[in-house]
Amino acid sequence: MPPASCPCGLAESYAACCGRFHDGGLAAPTAELLMRSRFSAFAVGDTAYLLRTWHPGTRPRQLRLDPGQEWTRLEILGRTGGGLLQTEGTVEFRAHYRHRGRDGFLEENSRFRREDGHWVYLDADA
């Protein structure tokens, strides 16, 4: 059962926020909203959405999520580009998780590109 509130941290319900992207009805209009929807996909275990929104040149052949890892909170630390009329952007974030009873976080500056009118995750900026 999907969560009532959206895991990405915005005030809307999951269905009105990232769920509308996960079900394939809409595409995220900005790089930040794609980043948020991808975090939510990790949180709800939607590997199909993660693969679908991954750039074909960097996408893994398959993706297995660790069932012992719970994604708990997302912080957006910064962004460049990634707007409605742009073709590239970055989103710097901190994703908090709980793994086998221990808290941790992943910090990354993700690169996004618009391909065929849709934002996709390219890779992490080193």
Side-chain angles (χ1 to χ4, degrees), residues 47-117:
T47 56
Y49 181 78
L50 291 166
L51 291 170
R52 189 169 69 245
T53 58
W54 210 312
H55 189 278
T58 57
R59 176 177 47 224
R61 292 175 60 145
Q62 61 180 332
L63 181 64
R64 293 185 191 179
L65 302 180
D66 183 344
Q69 188 159 4
E70 175 190 3
W71 294 96
T72 58
R73 185 167 58 95
L74 177 66
E75 293 177 81
I76 301 297
L77 306 174
R79 69 188 73 65
T80 62
L84 295 172
L85 302 176
Q86 295 167 312
T87 58
E88 294 186 347
T90 65
V91 179
E92 184 180 1
F93 67 92
R94 184 178 297 130
H96 297 263
Y97 61 85
R98 177 169 282 267
H99 187 255
R100 297 193 170 106
R102 301 189 76 181
D103 292 331
F105 67 88
L106 166 73
E107 207 167 282
E108 182 176 300
N109 192 27
S110 294
R111 295 190 316 149
F112 296 89
R113 184 173 292 154
R114 192 186 301 266
E115 295 278 326
D116 298 323

